[in-house]
Amino acid sequence: MISSRARVVEIEEVAERCFYLLLEEKTLAAKSCPGQFIHMRITDNFFPFLRRPFSIAGTFPEKGLLWIIFRLSGAGTKILSRIRRGEEIECLGPLGNGFNLRKSTGLAVLLGGGAGIAPLLFLAKTLQESQKQVALYYGASRAAELIPVQQFLPRGVEVNLATEDGSCGFKGLVTDLLESRLQKELLPGEIFACGPRKMMQSLAIICRSKKIPAQFSLEERMACGIGACQGCAVEIKAGEKRTVFKRVCRDGPVFDSCEVVW
Amino acid sequence: MISSRARVVEIEEVAERCFYLLLEEKTLAAKSCPGQFIHMRITDNFFPFLRRPFSIAGTFPEKGLLWIIFRLSGAGTKILSRIRRGEEIECLGPLGNGFNLRKSTGLAVLLGGGAGIAPLLFLAKTLQESQKQVALYYGASRAAELIPVQQFLPRGVEVNLATEDGSCGFKGLVTDLLESRLQKELLPGEIFACGPRKMMQSLAIICRSKKIPAQFSLEERMACGIGACQGCAVEIKAGEKRTVFKRVCRDGPVFDSCEVVW
Amino acid sequence: MTNLKVKLGPLELKTPFMAASGTFGFGEEYASLVDLQDFGAVVVKGLTLKPRRGNPPPRIVETPAGMLNAIGLQNPGLEVFLSRELPRLQKSKVKVIVNIAGETEEEYVTLARELSQAGDGLAALELNVSCPNVKKGGILFGTSPSVLASLVEKVRPVCSLPLIVKLTPNVTDITETARAAESSGADILSLVNTFRGMVIDIASKRPFLGNKTGGLSGPAIRPLAVRMVYDVYASVKIPLIGMGGICTLEDSLQFFMAGASAVAVGSAIFSDPLTIPRLTAELRSYLEKEGFRSPEEIVGTAHTSGNGEEL
Amino acid sequence: MTNLKVKLGPLELKTPFMAASGTFGFGEEYASLVDLQDFGAVVVKGLTLKPRRGNPPPRIVETPAGMLNAIGLQNPGLEVFLSRELPRLQKSKVKVIVNIAGETEEEYVTLARELSQAGDGLAALELNVSCPNVKKGGILFGTSPSVLASLVEKVRPVCSLPLIVKLTPNVTDITETARAAESSGADILSLVNTFRGMVIDIASKRPFLGNKTGGLSGPAIRPLAVRMVYDVYASVKIPLIGMGGICTLEDSLQFFMAGASAVAVGSAIFSDPLTIPRLTAELRSYLEKEGFRSPEEIVGTAHTSGNGEEL
Ligand SMILES: Cc1cc2nc3c(=O)[nH]c(=O)nc-3n(C[C@H](O)[C@H](O)[C@H](O)COP(=O)(O)OP(=O)(O)OC[C@H]3O[C@@H](n4cnc5c(N)ncnc54)[C@H](O)[C@@H]3O)c2cc1C
Ligand SMILES: Cc1cc2nc3c(=O)[nH]c(=O)nc-3n(C[C@H](O)[C@H](O)[C@H](O)COP(=O)(O)OP(=O)(O)OC[C@H]3O[C@@H](n4cnc5c(N)ncnc54)[C@H](O)[C@@H]3O)c2cc1C
Ligand SMILES: Cc1cc2nc3c(=O)[nH]c(=O)nc-3n(C[C@H](O)[C@H](O)[C@H](O)COP(=O)(O)O)c2cc1C
Ligand SMILES: Cc1cc2nc3c(=O)[nH]c(=O)nc-3n(C[C@H](O)[C@H](O)[C@H](O)COP(=O)(O)O)c2cc1C
Ligand code: FES
Ligand code: FES
């Protein structure tokens, strides 16, 4: 983990209220793995007061570049969306444990909702590069909010889109799309998911009933981002009846779906 | 007084940490008088929390334009210095009572220190236009901090510069420069001044001893800017021994030098 | 159209938004910028029996997400208020609430008696027992439950108007002063007044404000104020007026859900004089969208879980 | 070079800057980012006798210029601290202050006794009688002067380390608890802990935090904390550690001038882990520029006017 000032190389609105931000920071670019995140200090003047966590969506280690995808959400992302090329921004990272890729065999199904797509783009690329078969399921509420994922993915990744209003791809929730496929031909070796809590909850039920191993990247409010404050607790099973609070930032953000207490 | 969104037409750093900001707002441009100010809302998100007051440095009523000169001072002016052309900013104004020009006869001497030059530029232009004779005394700590006043003044205004380090014009305080001239040839009909508290205090003593009438534009921390909160109090003489608190924003910002309790 | 009327015991307001005392003067200055008709009420600047000079400057300093003020209750006194300010206010049709402060119980009683007789231009009295910026009276009446109860008991009989007691947040347990005010006759509680704070001027190494300390207001105190409204709602039966850092609709909804039947906007008005009309319009659309017929339906909802259970 | 050493009664620190309890864990996580050698001391996360699970999430929410936290003292308990955390901390050469919290007087006494015997790795104990986020103990010990005095009297005899009492700001008059702690044996007072606050989640109409309320920290509370340090400095003779929203050198100077002999940086560390080294360097140049030989020369200066008079 390092603390460093990254230079803004490019910023672009790639979908409604969704921004692509390309940063230059050699160490981060070299060391980051899919599922890890950076903790960004939006301004130097303690407003907003806390940093903001964003998943690393991809790296170009040879060029010393990395990128994130962020959605306009509140005051912090609004300020971030106005940053200009050449400006610098303080980043802590890479943080957290990424997805565990060792045990993955067979088809890897990646399920992303909204901005949750970000870490999966990095994951898809990494899995592809190690010759794994990858199918991506990606949902948003409307077509305009879908970021153009093909643009960010290597060839050969199967992409399945869903929108709640049917303006693009499957009409309905992306979990419904996935579930219907699972009824038929789809046989994932493992599922990797990131998205809104509700999506993750439905997916957890599906995975449990179909006995598909799954890794979830979780979100929780963070203060330190590095494990010191115990702020980002999630309840995790620790044996039959016992649970403990683990830190999303340090023990996660990726957890086994069956560990999480929803 | 109106509350309105003014459009940024131009912003330029005209001296070290000093900015020229040209705004389009018809009513403000038409109604403002020298010595009045606008209360600007730096951002829409209540950060910084309070508005910032700035003297109107000039108007182009026919074009619906007005301008201010501001110095980088803290968080608010820092954000303001990054505003871009075309953006809008909420302004309350014109506020306060400007300089009283009716009684002025003879040579008008204008004394400005630092950003206090702003209202005097507007005043100089107005006095000139009504055929008054004007001499401007303007001081800063170093040459780099002097804004190029000639650029903003009509022809015929005599300009006298002072810098504390002598890097431009008279070496020393602008009040010292003025005092030395008053010892000799200079015979002002009235003095108009705006600047740091210390400058105003020395000037008040000079004016009292020489019996020169003077009008001072004062600064005080403001909340409402329109007279409602009593926040911007200054102590003003009210008879022989009594004093009262008056509001800089509504009863001022211009006061007779002999009224003010320093 | 959704009706925004709210009833706080004896006090009916056409909207739940009022201007907080001290931030709106006597309504005159802002009248050219905003239509007072849009206001539930205007609480005028703290009034004292005799004119008050106020504190030495500086009286104001900005702080992170807030400000300190130490005005020291500068005001023209009861007589000038009755002869000059009140007639003007009575012409505008807004409900006027008078915030009163005294150095002694007697002063409060005299103010309450005289204002009760001042005709029908007044909607209510608000006892300011929480001003942190004056040496005598003010906050001293507001920090001890028994001193507060004694004051309210004396004022109550001479006050024919709805009686609001404005609580100070500078206490260990605000529910104690709240209950003291309730049981001694208050019709409504308003909370919170400002928190006592200080800024030191590094250059002079002295407290920045002329009065040394001042009262903190603005968004900085909002979480503290919301918590106090939540606690007091669970402790008393009389209605509450919530305030402290309200800038946006979301802010005011927090206060309603915590238990306030109406809210006051204070220092946000300095930044945006149109805050109250804006909130009024936004509340109307919020309620319509969410299917509520009245703001009263969301008052105190944070105390019950999704299925209506007490928490 | 200016010496930054400060002496707080029995506690000597090489700089007046420490990491505040709960914001720096047990020092492990930040150790790779900052050199702990630069710190006057590190106050570790609140420690209890038995391990504590902590509060249900969410535990954190950002607020204007601040944040609420409701961690609920999650920590591994005394045994694990002694066997795992302390040996590691003892290797780094930083002064370690242990912040302790109990549900009963006995728990405090046991903690103080065991930690006093833990060897020379500890610089001081800080009694946390001000945690707003636990149901039993914590803040309850800190709000009543007599309850606090009784606790400190029991801990004092078994505590061979310098004893710091950390005051809660959630009181009517902090000088009362300060005096109670002083007269019952505290060597040093630290202030302030967090202010109890609440954020309501508009969408669910429920308090946002799992614990409903949380403690407010950050720049928002700074003016309140400075005022309290100023008041307490005038009321007690023992040295003070000031904290609450310190981000910049100017912020820390306010605390020194108000009367703090040392300061702690808390939640600002989350935003900028390098805050303490930065402040250390900046304080050094400030003192040199202003011609002071030690930070102690500016402590409490806001209480005297320019000509040295008491105000
Ligand atoms: C490990 C992790 C990875 C993330 N990756 C991405 C990503 O790749 N792209 C993306 O668009 N968003 C991502 N998020 C969510 C992102 O952090 C928030 O959208 C962002 O912090 C909102 O900031 P704001 O100031 O715009 O919103 P505000 O709502 O104003 O923020 C207020 C506070 O809430 C926190 N907050 C708000 N939403 C979230 C959230 N969903 N999760 C955690 N904290 C939140 C903020 O950090 C801040 O402290 C991630 C969150 C986590 C925990
Ligand atoms: C009537 C009037 C006219 C002014 N005209 C000009 C002008 O033409 N050009 C110019 O550069 N400056 C002018 N000033 C000063 C200007 O308002 C401040 O420099 C500015 O508010 C600083 O804001 P900040 O956020 O950068 O500084 P900060 O120091 O961060 O501001 C903190 C708070 O202090 C207030 N403040 C700081 N300095 C002053 C000051 N000198 N006077 C009043 N309030 C202050 C701010 O408004 C804010 O509330 C004027 C002030 C007044 C009262
Ligand atoms: C400048 C100023 C003056 C105030 N004067 C009074 C007053 O005279 N009487 C009173 O009860 N409260 C007074 N208050 C407190 C406000 O009415 C309100 O309780 C407080 O500011 C919190 O609300 P806010 O955060 O929305 O400003 C004053 C507040 C400010 C900022
Ligand atoms: C996440 C968090 C955890 C905290 N935990 C403790 C604690 O365990 N014990 C304690 O005495 N204070 C605790 N505090 C309070 C801080 O030590 C400090 O008193 C307070 O945050 C004010 O300082 P600040 O504004 O610089 O953060 C905690 C604060 C935060 C933000
Ligand atoms: S955010 Fe501090 S432990 Fe995770
Ligand atoms: S700033 Fe409110 S009266 Fe002048």
Side-chain angles (χ1 to χ4, degrees), chain C residues 196 198 206 223 231 254 311, chain D residues 196 198 206 223 231 311:
Chain C
R196 231 157 62 77
M198 177 185 283
R206 302 271 308 109
D231 285 353
Q254 287 198 55
L311 286 173
Chain D
R196 231 156 63 76
M198 176 184 282
R206 301 272 307 108
D231 284 352
L311 287 173

Side-chain angles (χ1 to χ4, degrees), chain B residues 4-258:
Chain B
S4 175
R5 295 181 78 82
R7 203 172 52 83
V8 175
V9 177
E10 209 179 313
I11 175 153
E12 198 194 323
E13 190 164 358
V14 288
E16 210 175 280
R17 304 170 61 81
C18 269
F19 291 78
Y20 164 86
L21 177 64
L22 183 65
L23 297 168
E24 183 180 80
E25 212 301 319
K26 286 203 177 58
T27 314
L28 289 178
K31 300 245 164 110
S32 301
C33 303
Q36 289 190 299
F37 68 97
I38 52 178
H39 212 28
M40 289 175 86
R41 193 174 176 203
I42 304 292
T43 63
D44 286 347
N45 64 7
F46 293 93
F47 176 84
F49 186 51
L50 295 175
R51 290 179 178 243
R52 300 292 188 258
F54 297 100
S55 299
I56 297 158
T59 59
F60 304 102
E62 23 3 298
K63 298 188 193 140
L65 301 175
L66 70 156
W67 53 283
I68 65 169
I69 295 282
F70 70 91
R71 238 179 95 86
L72 271 192
S73 148
T77 46
K78 184 164 177 195
I79 297 175
L80 191 59
S81 72
R82 293 168 163 231
I83 202 168
R84 303 181 220 178
R85 272 183 212 189
E87 291 191 86
E88 285 184 344
I89 185 153
E90 259 183 65
C91 297
L92 264 178
L95 298 173
N97 300 312
F99 293 103
N100 183 340
L101 305 185
R102 276 160 302 168
K103 47 186 180 178
S104 168
T105 54
L107 172 69
V109 165
L110 279 48
L111 185 91
I117 190 67
L120 303 182
L121 296 173
F122 194 3
L123 179 64
K125 189 169 168 231
T126 307
L127 288 171
Q128 260 279 311
E129 279 167 6
S130 56
Q131 322 300 334
K132 300 253 163 73
Q133 215 195 323
V134 181
L136 182 73
Y137 287 76
Y138 170 34
S141 45
R142 312 179 291 117
E145 289 178 11
L146 284 172
I147 70 157
V149 280
Q150 280 87 350
Q151 194 176 309
F152 300 109
L153 283 172
R155 255 171 235 274
V157 175
E158 179 200 317
V159 176
N160 306 275
L161 301 176
T163 51
E164 287 173 46
D165 67 355
S167 49
C168 178
F170 175 83
K171 176 172 177 169
L173 297 173
V174 66
T175 39
D176 293 341
L177 169 60
L178 178 70
E179 202 172 10
S180 70
R181 296 283 171 88
L182 289 175
Q183 309 292 8
K184 299 182 219 156
E185 73 287 357
L186 194 68
L187 271 178
E190 188 164 11
I191 294 181
F192 301 88
C194 185
R197 198 172 174 85
K198 283 216 171 131
M199 180 194 100
M200 310 281 257
Q201 283 170 321
S202 335
L203 182 63
I205 296 169
I206 298 171
C207 291
R208 191 177 332 132
S209 75
K210 304 247 176 223
K211 298 208 166 57
I212 307 167
Q215 296 180 40
F216 286 7
S217 176
L218 303 185
E219 294 185 356
E220 193 45 77
R221 303 286 159 138
M222 291 185 178
C224 71
I226 65 169
C229 76
Q230 309 286 355
C232 58
V234 276
E235 199 172 354
I236 295 291
K237 291 178 194 145
E240 266 313 297
K241 293 206 164 155
R242 231 170 60 86
T243 64
V244 294
F245 288 119
K246 290 207 173 177
R247 300 162 299 183
V248 167
C249 71
R250 183 108 173 176
D251 306 313
V254 178
F255 292 92
D256 258 15
S257 85
C258 51

Side-chain angles (χ1 to χ4, degrees), chain C residues 20-22 45-46 69 73 99 128 166 192-193 217-218 243-245 266-267:
Chain C
S21 177
K45 173 70 192 161
N69 88 79
L73 291 177
N99 180 275
N128 179 358
K166 185 162 180 180
V192 297
N193 210 317
S217 62
M243 75 199 83
S267 31

